Amino acid sequence: MLKETIPIKKLQKNAVIPTYGTEYSAGADIYAYLEEPITISPGETVLIPTGIAMEIPIGYAGLIYSRSGLATKCGLAPANKVCVIDSDYRGEILIPLHNHSKNPQTISCKERIAQIIFTPYLFGIFEETDHLAETQRGIGGFGSTGKF
């Protein structure tokens, strides 16, 4: 397991720095920073502030995923499914939570609302070509490898 220091800046005095639930958790929990609880109506998306900014190392991205419990029990997950935070972004981390459930859901200050995973990425240099290498799958798309 790789470890690297991620500089965090609290933009609000009482904001919570991300934490890992266990020693081997891949994602660190991200906490809401709210002046008062906010209710998200069914089908509604709300940007939830965290009160923090961070300096993600060059060559890495911070990927924001749903917390499994919040998604399965409350129907709350990032609206764009996976939020990408680039290494040159220095603004406040905002989480666009969408309510997929049929009931209003309330988020309170310091509640864990998402998780962040830091992952290396490849910067692609695109080169136009008339030929791509052949593979067994070829142009087979959705469902082409079968169900079982």
Side-chain angles (χ1 to χ4, degrees):
M1 161 181 12
L2 298 175
K3 293 185 179 184
E4 188 160 343
T5 299
I6 307 291
I8 297 276
K9 181 179 181 180
K10 281 188 174 185
L11 304 174
Q12 303 294 335
K13 180 183 175 188
N14 293 322
V16 179
I17 291 176
T19 60
Y20 289 95
T22 69
E23 180 182 4
Y24 298 110
S25 295
D29 292 329
I30 300 280
Y31 295 78
Y33 177 82
L34 299 165
E35 295 294 329
E36 57 188 45
I38 187 166
T39 298
I40 306 172
S41 300
E44 182 181 24
T45 299
V46 176
L47 275 177
I48 306 294
T50 63
I52 61 168
M54 61 180 67
E55 186 177 327
I56 298 170
I58 294 172
Y60 288 81
L63 302 181
I64 304 287
Y65 293 94
S66 64
R67 293 192 69 249
S68 58
L70 200 61
T72 57
K73 295 176 183 176
C74 301
L76 294 174
N80 50 344
K81 306 306 177 212
V82 177
C83 307
V84 178
I85 304 173
D86 297 312
S87 62
D88 58 350
Y89 178 66
R90 295 294 184 269
E92 181 176 11
I93 306 297
L94 300 169
I95 310 297
L97 276 187
H98 182 79
N99 184 353
H100 294 276
S101 79
K102 295 178 182 175
N103 303 308
Q105 302 293 333
T106 300
I107 296 294
S108 298
C109 189
K110 298 186 180 182
E111 184 173 343
R112 295 177 296 165
I113 57 169
Q115 60 182 321
I116 187 168
I117 296 176
F118 300 100
T119 187
Y121 63 87
L122 176 71
F123 187 89
I125 299 171
F126 301 101
E127 182 178 277
E128 187 175 356
T129 182
D130 291 329
H131 177 74
L132 300 176
E134 297 290 327
T135 66
Q136 184 177 358
R137 183 177 186 166
I139 61 170
F142 299 108
S144 67
T145 59
K147 188 172 180 179
F148 294 99

